Amino acid sequence: MATVLVTGGNGYIGSHTVISLFESGYDVVIADNLANSKMEVQKRLKTICGRDFKFYKVDCCDEKALSVVFEENRIDSVIHFAGLKAVGESVRIPLDYYSNNIGSAITVCKLMKKYGVKNLVFSSSATVYGMSEDVPFTEESPVGICTNPYGWTKWMIEQILRDFAVSEPSMKICLLRYFNPVGAHESGLIGEDPRGIPNNLFPYISKVAGGTLEKLTVFGDDYDTPDGTCLRDYIHVVDLAEGHVKAIQYLDSHDAGVCLFNLGTGKGTSVKEAIAAFEKACGHPINHVFGDRRPGDIAVCYASTEKAEKDLGFKARYNIDDMCSSCWKWQTMNPEGLADD
Ligand code: NAD
Ligand code: UFG
């Protein structure tokens, strides 16, 4: 059984990916420093999968500590999720973002080289397309000027990985550019569990629907879009997780080098449409008001899914209604989020 090291595997996307890997017959080892997740996730993964996974509480920037994981396990592939991801926070503490995100990626690469591990999947983001609105974004669309330090870390790590692959011609690296991951596992046991007041649309709507927050502010309804609100490519986190399994399988069956795929649905959903879909899922109106545009937002962002469909064999299965109903189940089962450790 092949073993996948999942860095950041205790987080939102990582934990769903652990389940998909397990269901596809992989063994999993998790490395996470719990900077943005709670140990309760491990208990819940055990309930869902019926087994434990080896878990290391380790900072992926700490080469010595992370080397223990490589020393103690025969790792075949790495999926590197570990990183900080809050756009606004990255503007306030850019150095922490650069050192954590870039530092952890470099450390993972150094150890992969040292231990002869060839397959790497990296969590990149559609944010690297910058402020362009030349949709749909294809993998050939130019990477743009990023609008925040978080985005730049993704942009820079992509470049670092390309340079690494040139220097190590036997490396197989897959860059995955995610669009907007939302939703939760069908069990309602794991889902997105942000600390404090959420910044992103779906966690915010969920909390308004659940009564923890009073109202949602829609950031701008004067965009040049059909209903005036921004369009995004929301993708169910379970689909996204399955995209990672496809990426591992792709690396196993292809030659060395760097490959790149968008992971999205190819469909833009407006903020108004997202609210309406959530109202349908929860069965009551979502209190919302219209406010100013949020600085840095673009009007439209959605993926071309052609390359992922053709080469990776990946096609998202779930629609916006599925995303909303799974979010709502997660919210109602965990109104306060997960308990602190
Ligand atoms: P998350 O915060 O839920 O998960 C990240 C996990 O990494 C957390 O459990 C955190 O504790 C851990 N971590 C952070 N720094 C670490 C370090 N130095 N060492 C060990 N563990 C560390 O975030 P997520 O939404 O699951 O995102 C996973 C990855 O996908 C991130 O790299 C993120 O930038 C990227 N991504 C996320 C989105 C999104 O909208 N959620 C979009 C595009 C890309
Ligand atoms: N929005 C609101 N009100 C809110 C929150 C969001 O109207 O309270 C709107 C935003 O203006 C935007 C849409 O909902 O039009 C989606 O916003 P999110 O913050 O949920 O997502 P973004 O598209 O801004 O950003 C997300 C991730 C980034 C990632 C980017 C591209 O947060 O990390 O997708 O993948 F880089």
Side-chain angles (χ1 to χ4, degrees):
M1 192 189 286
T3 300
V4 182
L5 169 61
V6 183
T7 75
N10 204 51
Y12 173 47
I13 305 169
S15 57
H16 289 82
T17 302
V18 167
I19 298 170
S20 293
L21 287 166
F22 168 72
E23 288 172 348
S24 303
Y26 291 90
D27 197 8
V28 172
V29 174
I30 298 168
D32 197 302
N33 67 356
L34 305 180
N36 195 39
S37 58
K38 297 171 187 153
M39 269 314 275
E40 176 66 19
V41 172
Q42 292 303 305
K43 287 191 203 147
R44 295 187 173 205
L45 282 178
K46 186 177 180 184
T47 306
I48 294 166
C49 299
R51 57 153 290 191
D52 265 334
F53 298 100
K54 241 177 160 177
F55 177 86
Y56 290 83
K57 180 173 185 296
V58 65
D59 186 334
C60 294
C61 299
D62 182 341
E63 190 172 333
K64 197 161 164 241
L66 190 60
S67 70
V68 174
V69 180
F70 284 83
E71 203 61 63
E72 293 185 352
N73 300 279
R74 213 189 62 80
I75 308 290
D76 297 288
S77 303
V78 177
I79 306 181
H80 183 51
F81 289 108
L84 300 173
K85 62 158 184 177
V87 170
E89 185 181 64
S90 80
V91 176
R92 286 194 300 281
I93 48 169
L95 301 184
D96 292 359
Y97 270 67
Y98 285 115
S99 68
N100 187 70
N101 292 5
I102 295 177
S104 62
I106 291 175
T107 306
V108 164
C109 289
K110 280 185 180 169
L111 290 172
M112 290 182 72
K113 179 176 169 184
K114 181 171 173 191
Y115 288 89
V117 181
K118 301 297 180 194
N119 297 354
L120 173 64
V121 177
F122 173 63
S123 301
S124 191
S125 167
T127 195
V128 299
Y129 295 117
M131 293 296 282
S132 162
E133 292 180 0
D134 192 8
V135 287
F137 292 116
T138 73
E139 289 79 353
E140 281 70 45
S141 296
V143 287
I145 302 289
C146 297
T147 53
N148 55 75
Y150 165 72
W152 282 117
T153 68
K154 296 296 177 192
W155 191 97
M156 289 176 192
I157 295 167
E158 285 197 5
Q159 185 58 44
I160 290 167
L161 296 179
R162 289 181 198 281
D163 293 339
F164 179 49
V166 170
S167 73
E168 294 294 321
S170 57
M171 282 299 297
K172 299 180 177 188
I173 299 179
C174 181
L175 310 174
L176 295 179
R177 291 181 180 158
Y178 314 153
F179 281 69
N180 288 56
V182 300
H185 189 256
E186 61 178 7
S187 63
L189 290 174
I190 58 166
E192 191 167 10
D193 183 27
R195 293 175 197 268
I197 297 177
N199 296 306
N200 298 115
L201 183 65
F202 271 78
Y204 205 107
I205 295 186
S206 302
K207 296 219 177 295
V208 175
T212 329
L213 290 172
E214 191 207 333
K215 63 171 184 292
L216 170 78
T217 301
V218 177
F219 298 139
D221 63 347
D222 58 350
Y223 284 96
D224 185 15
T225 57
D227 67 16
T229 65
C230 296
L231 300 187
R232 292 291 180 274
D233 188 340
Y234 300 101
I235 174 167
H236 198 302
V237 67
V238 172
D239 275 330
L240 193 67
E242 283 163 13
H244 290 76
V245 176
K246 298 271 188 198
I248 294 281
Q249 291 165 344
Y250 182 92
L251 292 180
D252 274 335
S253 58
H254 283 77
D255 292 340
V258 178
C259 59
L260 163 66
F261 296 103
N262 285 335
L263 290 183
T265 62
K267 185 179 176 339
T269 300
S270 75
V271 179
K272 281 185 184 169
E273 287 170 333
I275 294 170
F278 212 102
E279 288 177 335
K280 196 162 92 181
C282 72
H284 62 262
I286 307 286
N287 189 14
H288 62 279
V289 293
F290 293 95
D292 291 341
R293 291 181 177 196
R294 183 172 67 176
D297 274 344
I298 52 176
V300 290
C301 177
Y302 55 90
S304 161
T305 57
E306 215 178 298
K307 184 165 182 247
E309 273 178 42
K310 189 166 146 280
D311 296 348
L312 203 56
F314 172 77
K315 190 166 168 47
R317 288 187 289 147
Y318 296 110
N319 63 24
I320 194 74
D321 293 329
D322 303 320
M323 299 177 214
C324 292
S325 54
S326 67
C327 267
W328 180 234
K329 183 170 183 186
W330 158 250
Q331 172 64 33
T332 47
M333 285 174 66
N334 308 275
E336 311 295 335
L338 298 181
D340 278 322
D341 298 327

